[in-house]
Amino acid sequence: MNKTVFLETHNLKNKSTGFGVFNYELIKGLAQLEFDNLNIFLNSNKPEELNIEFGNTFSYHKYTDLSRIPIFRNRKKYDLWHSMNQNSKVEPFHDNKYVLTVHDVNFVEEVSVNMNHKVNKLFLKKIERATAITYISEYAKKQTHQYFKIPDIPEYVILNGNPISTIYDITQFISPFPTQKPFLYSISNFLERKNFLSIVKMMLHTKEYNLILSGNNNTIYGREINKFIIKNKLENRVFLTGKINEVAKQFYLSKCHAFVFPSLREGFGLPPIEAMHFGKPVFLANRTSLPEIGGDQCYYWDNFDPEYMKDVLENGLNHFFNHKDNMERVLKARAASFDWKMAANEYLKVYKEQLK
């Protein structure tokens, strides 16, 4: 009789977020593998759409918001439950094998270090329940151990894959923002930890490039950045696109002069891999998981003084374009080394080990 595995994938409802990408790409990776002895269930508010894409490769469970409330939890008993991120409030009703994937524990640093705070208590309950923990980077594991006592259970580091698994036709896309002048590009939600304001300030010290930033900027931090742009008369050089689709994202990634990502806290960092996929010079903050992801092929900011950032940018671009062919080759090769099928295979090994 097949063992049942429930993937708590309700974040599929928003594929533009990191959790949404992780859920969807891992499912696509699993779909390429053989797991005849497992019946894998996907949790989604639109299971019919997944059924159209994946057919009987998986089984499907319809997600509702009510399932976040303990009394309305899914009462079917599964042999293994995979909690796909550390923040999910969707939990099994029954005790069973429980794999927890940790992307980061930024909430300790951003919300509260008090272990009695509700966000920490939620995570502590997950740790108590877990029979195995996977981390998406060595940094995520290190950060988790820094703040929490982890029980003596199996732990694994499984790196994410390259989120660009499909290349879209961008020839018909017309950018509403100017792209004739060389431009720097970045994409993420406008949150303080993403540190976008630092590269906007850098733009005051370089006139050679425009800057295009994508992602949900309808946030407190987004409004702060917009005020800075207006106050410093950067409206003709710095452009906020808001949320965009995959076609637009690949257009900007493939056309940009360089990709800039000064994030202060990153459990993994998918966008830099996307930029490397297109062979673009990538500039990252030299902290958290980003050096682990970028390796020696990227350029790093040790601090965020605007003039210093400008100097690192110029020196990095000079190096890149003086060795353009080789740099493009090694960047594309590094991006290709992050593979969702390989990651899915590692998760499958964890499931099977847990179900012995």
Side-chain angles (χ1 to χ4, degrees):
M1 184 175 177
N2 285 355
K3 298 282 189 178
T4 53
V5 176
F6 187 92
L7 305 190
E8 203 300 275
T9 53
H10 85 274
N11 285 116
L12 285 167
K13 64 183 179 180
N14 192 350
K15 293 178 186 173
S16 64
T17 65
F19 288 157
V21 170
F22 174 81
N23 282 227
Y24 184 56
E25 295 296 340
L26 183 56
I27 289 167
K28 288 202 297 183
L30 286 168
Q32 299 176 61
L33 303 174
E34 297 290 335
F35 47 89
D36 294 337
N37 59 335
L38 298 179
N39 185 10
I40 297 180
F41 287 77
L42 308 181
N43 194 29
S44 171
N45 64 333
K46 295 180 179 178
E48 63 282 355
E49 292 184 1
L50 291 175
N51 192 23
I52 291 172
E53 184 170 1
F54 298 109
N56 60 8
T57 301
F58 301 104
S59 297
Y60 306 95
H61 178 270
K62 187 170 179 62
Y63 163 79
T64 67
D65 288 339
L66 279 175
S67 63
R68 294 155 58 93
I69 302 170
I71 196 172
F72 294 112
R73 286 176 178 170
N74 184 348
R75 297 196 176 217
K76 181 174 178 179
K77 190 161 187 178
Y78 300 91
D79 294 302
L80 184 147
W81 183 285
H82 184 179
S83 186
M84 303 279 271
N85 75 73
Q86 68 281 344
N87 297 330
S88 174
K89 294 182 176 67
V90 182
E91 297 282 38
F93 185 85
H94 299 283
D95 287 329
N96 44 25
K97 295 290 185 177
Y98 185 100
V99 176
L100 170 63
T101 291
V102 178
H103 298 250
D104 62 64
V105 291
N106 289 336
F107 51 84
V108 182
E109 299 170 3
E110 295 176 352
V111 180
S112 177
V113 295
N114 183 350
M115 289 297 122
N116 288 317
H117 192 283
K118 62 181 181 180
V119 297
N120 293 325
K121 288 171 75 174
L122 171 68
F123 185 67
L124 284 165
K125 285 182 180 179
K126 285 181 173 289
I127 291 176
E128 290 171 8
R129 190 165 211 164
T131 56
I133 300 177
T134 66
Y135 304 91
I136 64 169
S137 64
E138 291 289 351
Y139 168 74
K141 181 179 180 180
K142 178 182 176 182
Q143 185 193 36
T144 304
H145 278 261
Q146 179 182 348
Y147 293 108
F148 297 94
K149 182 174 175 56
I150 304 301
D152 185 18
I153 58 176
E155 296 179 88
Y156 309 85
V157 173
I158 303 175
L159 299 179
N160 291 341
N162 181 348
I164 296 185
S165 54
T166 303
I167 299 297
Y168 294 91
D169 180 8
I170 62 171
T171 57
Q172 302 304 311
F173 178 78
I174 300 175
S175 173
F177 307 97
T179 56
Q180 297 80 12
K181 182 177 178 178
F183 67 94
L184 312 176
Y185 183 63
S186 196
I187 181 168
S188 191
N189 285 332
F190 281 58
L191 302 172
E192 195 167 346
R193 69 172 177 264
K194 298 300 182 179
N195 201 24
F196 275 174
L197 186 56
S198 68
I199 42 178
V200 176
K201 289 180 177 179
M202 181 188 71
M203 295 301 291
L204 294 172
H205 301 277
T206 177
K207 308 298 182 186
E208 297 177 57
Y209 314 105
N210 287 342
L211 172 64
I212 297 178
L213 300 174
S214 295
N216 178 20
N217 60 327
N218 187 25
T219 62
I220 294 172
Y221 188 60
R223 290 187 282 275
E224 179 186 346
I225 288 174
N226 199 48
K227 286 179 183 177
F228 184 90
I229 291 169
I230 294 169
K231 180 180 178 181
N232 291 276
K233 298 180 172 54
L234 288 169
E235 300 99 314
N236 293 324
R237 297 187 53 229
V238 179
F239 306 95
L240 311 184
T241 72
K243 293 181 181 179
I244 58 173
N245 61 25
E246 288 296 313
V247 174
K249 180 172 75 171
Q250 291 193 15
F251 175 88
Y252 292 123
L253 283 169
S254 63
K255 302 296 182 184
C256 71
H257 199 64
F259 184 82
V260 288
F261 202 70
S263 181
L264 302 176
R265 295 185 183 91
E266 210 65 43
F268 186 81
L270 290 169
I273 299 176
E274 295 177 302
M276 287 190 281
H277 177 87
F278 288 101
K280 296 297 176 176
V282 175
F283 293 81
L284 305 170
N286 191 16
R287 56 179 64 195
T288 65
S289 70
L290 293 176
E292 186 180 343
I293 304 308
D296 295 336
Q297 290 82 358
C298 296
Y299 307 99
Y300 295 93
W301 290 301
D302 292 324
N303 67 70
F304 306 103
D305 172 78
E307 291 193 54
Y308 161 79
M309 291 182 74
K310 182 262 297 182
D311 290 342
V312 171
L313 178 74
E314 290 181 349
N315 291 336
L317 288 174
N318 284 337
H319 175 266
F320 178 88
F321 285 103
N322 283 331
H323 308 84
K324 187 171 183 290
D325 290 343
N326 183 60
M327 288 301 297
E328 285 184 349
R329 180 181 58 78
V330 297
L331 284 163
K332 290 177 180 179
R334 184 163 186 84
S337 72
F338 297 95
D339 184 275
W340 280 111
K341 185 178 179 181
M342 290 170 54
N345 192 52
E346 292 303 307
Y347 281 101
L348 206 54
K349 289 178 183 177
V350 174
Y351 301 159
K352 291 177 179 178
E353 185 67 28
Q354 285 287 295
L355 292 168
K356 280 182 178 178

